[in-house]
Amino acid sequence: MLQYDKTYLFDKTNGGLEYFHSVYPQSVGFEDKNKGFKIRDERTGSTHLFCKEGVWYIKDFGSGDNGLNCIDLCMQEENLEFLPAMKFLYQFFGLEAKTLQQFKPLREHKNTDLETGFYEVEYFDTIQQAELFAPFLTDKTCKEYNFYSVKSYQYVSYKRDVNGKQTKTKLLNTVTATPEYPIYAFKEESFVKIYEPKNDKAYRFRFLGEKPQRHIYGWKRIFDSVDVEHIKYLRERIKGYGDSQSSAAKEAREELDEALLPCIIIGSGGSDSLNVASLDSEKYHMVWNNSETEQLTYQEIQQLKLVCKQLFNLPDIDATGVKMAIKMGLQFLDLKTIWLPKKLLETNKKDFRDWIGNYKHLGVETTKGAFEKLITHALEFKWWKWNKKTGAYKYNYVSLLYFLEHQGFYMYKLQHRNQQKGQNTFIFIKIDGNVVREVTTPEIKSFVQDWLKENHISLEVLNMVISSQFLNEKGLQSLPSKELNFKTAGVSDQLFYFNNKTVRITSEGIEEVHPTKITNYVWQNKVLKHNIKLTDPQFKIQKDASGDWDIEVLEKDNMFLNYLINGSRVHWRNELEEPFKDKSKEAKEKYYNDNRFNIAGANLDPDAIHEQKLHLINKIYTIGYLLHSYKDDAKPWCVYIMDNKLPEVASESHGGSGKSFGISKILEYFKNYFYLEGRNQDLLRNQFIYDGIDEDTDVIFLDDAHYTLNFGFFFSILTGTLRVNPKHGKAFEIPFKQSPKLTITTNFVPTTLDPSTIRRLQLMVFSDYYHELTDEYQERRQIVDDFGGKRMFDENFSHNDFNLFYNFCIQCLQFYLSSNERHEAPEGNVKKRNLMQLMGDNFYEWAKSYFCDDKLNTFIPRKEIQDEYKGFVSGRVMSVQKQKVALDAFCKFNDWTLNPKELLGSDGTIKKPFEDQQGKRQVLEHYFIKTDNATVDVETIEAKEAELPKKVDTDDLPF
């Protein structure tokens, strides 16, 4: 068993300083400085590192967060609970966890003929080492509750073989306590419950004898100490007296007061109950069940209420304890619950035994006084009281707010939300499990009214609520405020909440997460509306023997995956059309049907297959990136989805490839996205462009972006803070980590593919496999055609179809998280389309006809090219710089070289003498276009030029 000690961690790691430097490299040099460093886009750094008692802390004054040590920061950054975070940090710092010393009792096993029901227990005369779990426990209290220290115990069991199977041989097992391993027992009439506090949790308790199906500890003690029949008699007498203040009535009330126990407390277990009783066993009478998940029945509660002045419940404050306490409180509305301080949870403590450990050094009386304060704040769920003076019901406001809180109603402070000026920054929310939704005050009031009706509470109480003004916005602002962690992703993991279960995706795999293991919350609109069943892997991506990436498609019936396969078939014409020009229609149809969703068709050469597979791998990787909610500073990418087909001219738009369909469905079913109409040419001039975006927005979806889109407009939001300027509210900022990702679909490439732009783009390229019927194509092919007319995501899309879709998407995310390298789309036509846009339509059309063989591998005056192009475009002038960019793009488009290095002068240009028609000589800048296989021999080129006839000016000739 491994032990992770935070004191040891701090001592061996200089207080955890190196981990802060790894998370925030910019913090180096800011240790214990008055000057802060930046962790967001801000004018002045507001984050500080400081050391306190040898432990380093980070304090972000910009967010208002409390100071965090390296364990707190690791839990936040890696989305881990305490122990996994400790394990992470031990590995980060290269520390070895200590092995806990395992104390064990003395055990002896002998063959026996005794019956299997035999048992025997030997006890000490006095309690031993009670301070281990109850610092104030005395022998007197122990005997009252039949609690003893055990010297040894024996029981008979069947021997098991090496495979764990039961044999017919019986063993007499003797277990003996040691000073390091004490053993205790609750000794009841027909059984003994053994308690070994130092055993593993699963084996801490053992029953000897006839284990009862149900047993209430402390019950017999209580009812042996009171005269139940006399109490019943007195209660009936007092009931008969009504409000009478006669001496006989007062005498009966006083007699009942003496007959009743001061209070009975329902404990969560034996250890807690003994600790409470140890404070004052004459005042605090304890009962408890075998398990905290068991509950007393209505009849049992009534019996306890009969014999005491006050009845309380004292639960644990972990998730299970709170859940059971609320269930019990709502079943017995006037049962008061004693709540332990929530601060216990901050140190991973949860029960009364933990609480009393904080007071044991102060002595029993001080501890009892502290417990009395907890009792005075005990609350019940019955929030209405009868007012004798008015003859009507009235609110117990504290209990009403307590009732609403434990029905899941809270105030929630907005961090970044699109709000009206003057609007408060709080909203009302309702939490069910870990699902959160915003509610209005009328909804809260309706909930209360419905609850009263369902539980058959008096109509007079219902009338009080209907006419009340308390359940309005002003009154309900007294609800407690709740801080919620909506973080669903860390750098290496992601949670998805489905209707029926939660799924965690990591680089290692995909797993279902038990609800008790989830501490984060999710907005209701982000719960995926599907009952998921995890499937086997749908694809396998790995490197082949030559080190190239390869994919094997394992799932053949996933419509969405098949659509992406066909969207990656950039060589479909070479596969489905070219080979069948001289073959029958039947042969063509057979091949098409046999390879309807084949990324690696037999008609393709290995290079074409490899390129198509890389396109599919890129789509899977990019979908994974988009689904990952974590914003990584190292991956500030825009998902840019475009067509692969080369147009005749740069500004030509094809579309119909299905690219928007796929991404829009992923966003629709997984993300809260903000839609922008890309065809709107005034979009970027709108100062309220982000109106409607808030902290809950996952993705900005710019659909069908226009040819003229200035991608640089979005550079700042990819890497920094997003500033939102609402039309009817005040501007606010969303930090990078909480801001949405950006996705763009378009029929065009960005106008520039410079390194700065490329660094920010995660391209996804779609083939024209799906297309409209035009002069270019032999048929019209839509997505629905591939599936026999069945449409994805409509009413005929079955639960299994959806299940395959959801599983495919989370498997895409798992592949993304497991990838150590970025999978980009093959350049192919992307680069060529960008070069066409750099040229522009006019220059491209002119250059195709102008640069014939006699204009290649020779010197051409720059002015000649400029004049020729000017004539083509009817006198419009292109600047020298733009001309050079366009010409360079045209050369790269054709795999030619503009101005080879060996021809350049010291100023980076080619300068040569030139003689015009009038014989005037001057030195002019020239261009030289070298084709792929040509060699550059200046002397040979100049000799050939000398043989050519000089250009004659014919403008003045009469013919």
Side-chain angles (χ1 to χ4, degrees), residues 118-339:
F118 170 83
Y119 73 91
E120 187 172 277
V121 183
E122 184 180 4
Y123 302 98
F124 285 100
D125 293 333
T126 58
I127 200 72
Q128 306 292 307
Q129 301 183 64
E131 67 278 1
L132 283 174
F133 61 91
F136 305 124
L137 192 60
T138 63
D139 287 325
K140 174 180 175 295
T141 303
C142 289
K143 287 177 181 177
E144 287 181 25
Y145 287 92
N146 302 317
F147 186 69
Y148 300 91
S149 285
V150 173
K151 287 185 179 180
S152 66
Y153 65 90
Q154 293 181 317
Y155 64 98
V156 176
S157 67
Y158 285 102
K159 186 177 181 178
R160 295 184 180 274
D161 62 19
V162 292
N163 297 316
K165 292 185 177 181
Q166 184 174 291
T167 68
K168 294 183 178 180
T169 303
K170 288 186 288 185
L171 294 176
L172 177 64
N173 307 283
T174 303
V175 183
T176 304
T178 69
E180 294 80 21
Y181 193 94
I183 301 174
Y184 305 93
F186 289 100
K187 182 183 178 183
E188 301 294 329
E189 289 182 355
S190 61
F191 70 93
V192 174
K193 184 178 182 181
I194 298 294
Y195 172 42
E196 300 178 23
K198 290 194 175 181
N199 204 341
D200 291 339
K201 190 173 181 179
Y203 305 104
R204 206 165 283 170
F205 297 100
R206 174 188 293 275
F207 284 89
L208 303 176
E210 298 178 13
K211 179 184 175 181
Q213 282 191 332
R214 197 163 178 280
H215 183 75
I216 304 173
Y217 296 87
W219 184 273
K220 187 174 184 302
R221 174 185 173 276
I222 285 175
F223 287 95
D224 284 350
S225 66
V226 295
D227 186 338
V228 175
E229 293 305 317
H230 186 57
I231 290 173
K232 286 181 179 179
Y233 164 73
L234 289 172
R235 287 190 179 279
E236 284 298 319
R237 276 186 61 194
I238 292 169
K239 185 177 179 182
Y241 288 129
D243 295 333
S244 172
Q245 298 299 314
S246 66
S247 58
K250 288 180 180 179
E251 184 180 330
R253 293 187 187 104
E254 289 171 1
E255 188 176 350
L256 177 64
D257 190 67
E258 291 179 9
L260 295 176
L261 298 177
C263 79
I264 296 175
I265 300 176
I266 304 166
S268 62
S271 176
D272 280 9
S273 297
L274 288 174
N275 268 290
V276 176
S278 73
L279 296 178
D280 188 340
S281 63
E282 296 300 318
K283 183 173 184 179
Y284 309 129
H285 298 267
M286 304 301 300
V287 291
W288 67 96
N289 295 99
N290 266 324
S291 166
E292 68 172 329
T293 58
E294 291 182 18
Q295 280 199 344
L296 299 177
T297 65
Y298 174 81
Q299 290 78 13
E300 290 162 347
I301 289 289
Q302 297 309 310
Q303 286 177 272
L304 293 175
K305 288 168 68 175
L306 175 72
V307 299
C308 69
K309 298 174 185 176
Q310 289 182 298
L311 178 63
F312 298 99
N313 184 30
L314 178 58
D316 293 350
I317 57 170
D318 62 349
T320 303
V322 172
K323 180 181 177 181
M324 297 309 297
I326 294 170
K327 180 180 178 182
M328 192 172 187
L330 290 171
Q331 186 177 355
F332 308 107
L333 294 172
D334 55 357
L335 174 65
K336 291 188 175 181
T337 302
I338 304 169
W339 290 104

Side-chain angles (χ1 to χ4, degrees), residues 16 54 122 251 300 379 426 469 471 637 646 665-666 697 734 842 933:
E122 184 180 4
E251 184 180 330
E300 290 162 347
L379 291 168
F426 284 87
Q469 295 301 309
L471 292 174
W637 305 331
L646 282 176
K665 291 304 178 185
I666 289 171
T697 306
I734 303 178
N842 289 331
N933 298 318

Side-chain angles (χ1 to χ4, degrees), residues 262-263 265 276 279-280 282-285 310 312 338-340 352 355 359 364-378:
C263 79
I265 300 176
V276 176
L279 296 178
D280 188 340
E282 296 300 318
K283 183 173 184 179
Y284 309 129
H285 298 267
Q310 289 182 298
F312 298 99
I338 304 169
W339 290 104
L340 297 171
F352 191 81
W355 179 86
Y359 286 87
V364 65
E365 289 303 321
T366 301
T367 305
K368 180 181 175 182
F371 182 55
E372 282 294 325
K373 289 180 180 179
L374 293 181
I375 291 176
T376 59
H377 287 88

